[in-house]
Every structure is written in C-alpha cells, then in structure tokens.
Amino acid sequence: MSLAALAFPFARPLLHALDAEAAHGMTIRALSAMPSGAPAASDRRLAVEAFGLHFANPLGVAAGFDKNAEVPDAMLALGFGFTEIGTVTPKPQVGNPRPRLFRLPEDRAVINRMGFNNEGHGAALRRLMARKTRGGIVGVNIGANKDSVDRIGDYVQGIAAFAQVASYFTVNISSPNTPGLRGLQSRAELEQLLGRINDERARQERQPPMLLKIAPDLREDELEDIAAACGGGAVDGIIVSNTTLSRDGLRSGHAKEQGGLSGLPLLALSTRQLARMFVLTEGKIPLVGAGGVHDGASALLKIRAGASLVQLYSALVYQGPGLVTSILSHLATEAARSGGSLESLRGRDAATLAHQGSSGT
C-alpha cells in the first residue's frame, strides 16, 4: 500500500475540517511533494486495449482533480491505469467566486461550480513537456474560456497546443458551470465542433485519440443525435458522464447549492446513460464510465453497462487512495472468474440497464 493510502485515515479529519477547496489544494501540494515513481504495476488480467492505447488497468482519475497537470505521475504511482488533467482553457481564468466546492457527506457526494478555474494552456503544457519521457497514460481535457468569442476556436487551440504531449484528448462540452457550454451537445453545433477539431487534428504530426465528454442530463433523442454525430470516426471514444444538475433524493444541507453534482447519487443515472450510449453505438465506440464509482462493484457495473474504462474522483474525497487497490483487486477477481479478462463482461448488462428508470433527466 502506498504512503498516501496509509496516511489518509490520519489526514482525513484535518482535511474535512477545512473548506473543501482548501483541502483539495493541500492534497495536491502533498502529492506534489512525494517522490515521482514509475506507474504502479497492475495485474495483467486487467489490461485494456482502447482507442489505440494500451492501459495497464481500466481505472482512471477523472478530470477536475488535477486541473493544472501538477500531479499526473503521483496519481499513476497510486495504481491508476491512466489519469486525465484539466479542464484547461487557452487563457488562465479564476473561475466562479468562492465558495464553489461543497462536500455532501450524508450523500457521499460533491457539488462544484468551479467554472473551469485553471492556469491556462501554457502552464499545463510546460509541466507535461517536463514529464514527457515518463511512462503512463495522461489525457488532456480541453475546454473554452468563459469570455471567449469563439468557443469552438478554443477547443481547436487545445488540440494544437497539446498534440505532442497528450496521450488522448477529452473535449469537455458538458460542464454545467460555464453558461451555454452544454449547447455544444446539440447535433448541429456538435457536428461543427467535431469538424473543426478534426481538421486541426489532421494538420498535426501526432494525432492522439479524441474523446467527447457528455452530460448525464440528456433526453433519449439527444443521446441519439450525439451517437450519430460521433459515428464514422468523428471521435475515438465517449465519456459518460459529467456531473448532473439533478438533486433527487439528497439529504445534505448543501443539496440546494448551484453547480454539478458528482459522487454516489450520480451512479444510477450515469450508468443508465452509459448503457444507452453503448446500445445506440452498438458497442462500436469505446466508452468510459464515470459517475458514482466508489467500490469494486460499481466499477464492474460500469463495465457491464458497456464501459471499456472507468473513471472516478469524488469517492477519493471520502475513501482516499486506498480505494484504488480495493477496486483493482475486485476487478482482478472478476476477470479471473470470466476467463482471464474483463472484455467478456463489457456491455453484458447494457440492454437491461439502458431501460431501467425513466427516460430523460
């Protein structure tokens, strides 16, 4: 077990006594101070091939944890099969006023309205260039500045800026905290966005895979439009999903805070949307399952719903880095039971999960 995992039970009371954003900043600083080791070894039964990349295991860190590419190697050393930095925008921006990050411990959830606060392309690029020769898969999540007059142009700039260092790109058009951003998920705007991005990709000497990150709060017809727009090689994968605007069933006093909800309450909704996307794309586009992953069973649920890879973030707030080993151990056991790999389980329950619950939001 890593030093970080051993230390978390002792550090957690201190961290949770602090404002959530201050605690996160302290966590990043602590991880930055740790020696940079090689990516942790994984059980070979957990290896995944997706969008042209080899992942040592399917568990990754979702964007938002490491906005400025400060600790990718520290996260890989904890055992994650990949990590995703960002969201990064062309220009630095401070984001929304604080407080803007809230723990909901009664619900094992988090609400954020950060607003793409980050140090901009330049700072993240410098850090990624400095670790370019290290191993491990580090994705770059790109976004648009709030005051941009050409939001699609901001995404194009992201492709050009990071093409030489990104293991893959994620195009984030699903944050609820930048006004109007989710409008890019409509079919007409999405097709225009993907067309311009792919034109820029074609101009690059190195062309990393590109994923699209979508919201969970989409109607069936909207999911159908996205699936259609993403076909034919327009994207290499889809992340399902970002945070939700829903507040169903929450108990915490912070439940009415504005922003995107993540954590355990998102599990059912995001998994249902993941399964629907798997069915709509007929399993032909690799999917990444995010939203509510908090243990081995929930990670496996994402795979059975159609995910090739799984991401988490909010669960780390409550369980710490020891969660990584626990989830991977569970998945390795399931892989052994299913013939030596997880691939045979991918999408096995998608048809059933896609029809659970009500449609839409």
Side-chain angles (χ1 to χ4, degrees), residues 58-219:
L59 185 63
V61 187
F65 181 86
D66 185 12
K67 288 179 175 292
N68 297 303
E70 295 175 271
V71 292
D73 294 301
M75 302 312 290
L76 295 172
L78 292 176
F80 284 103
F82 63 108
T83 187
E84 185 172 313
I85 69 98
T87 298
V88 287
T89 56
K91 297 183 296 184
Q93 61 181 29
V94 297
N96 293 321
R98 296 175 69 163
R100 53 193 180 179
L101 182 65
F102 307 89
R103 302 185 198 91
L104 286 69
E106 300 89 344
D107 303 296
R108 291 284 174 167
V110 173
I111 289 175
N112 92 83
R113 51 173 180 264
M114 304 298 285
F116 285 175
N117 58 306
N118 74 105
E119 297 173 3
H121 284 177
L125 181 59
R126 285 192 297 273
R127 294 186 181 111
L128 292 176
M129 288 295 292
R131 57 92 49 208
K132 187 176 180 181
T133 58
R134 297 180 182 272
I137 294 177
V138 180
V140 176
N141 185 301
I142 56 176
N145 282 111
K146 182 178 181 179
D147 60 357
S148 175
V149 296
D150 179 10
R151 285 183 170 168
I152 293 179
D154 281 13
Y155 290 96
V156 171
Q157 287 185 54
I159 297 293
F162 295 99
Q164 299 307 310
V165 293
S167 298
Y168 67 87
F169 285 107
T170 294
V171 178
N172 185 0
I173 57 171
S174 49
S175 169
N177 300 317
T178 298
L181 188 72
R182 286 189 171 191
L184 290 172
Q185 294 176 121
S186 68
R187 184 165 182 176
E189 291 198 54
L190 180 57
E191 288 178 343
Q192 182 184 6
L193 169 70
L194 295 179
R196 285 183 60 183
I197 287 177
N198 280 314
D199 286 346
E200 182 60 38
R201 289 175 75 200
R203 285 191 282 269
Q204 299 299 319
E205 180 180 352
R206 183 173 177 273
Q207 300 172 7
M210 185 178 73
L211 284 61
L212 181 73
K213 188 167 187 175
I214 65 173
D217 309 312
L218 293 166
R219 301 185 309 269

Side-chain angles (χ1 to χ4, degrees), residues 338-349:
S338 61
S341 78
L342 294 170
E343 178 58 30
S344 64
L345 299 176
R346 184 173 67 92
R348 181 173 290 186
D349 297 335

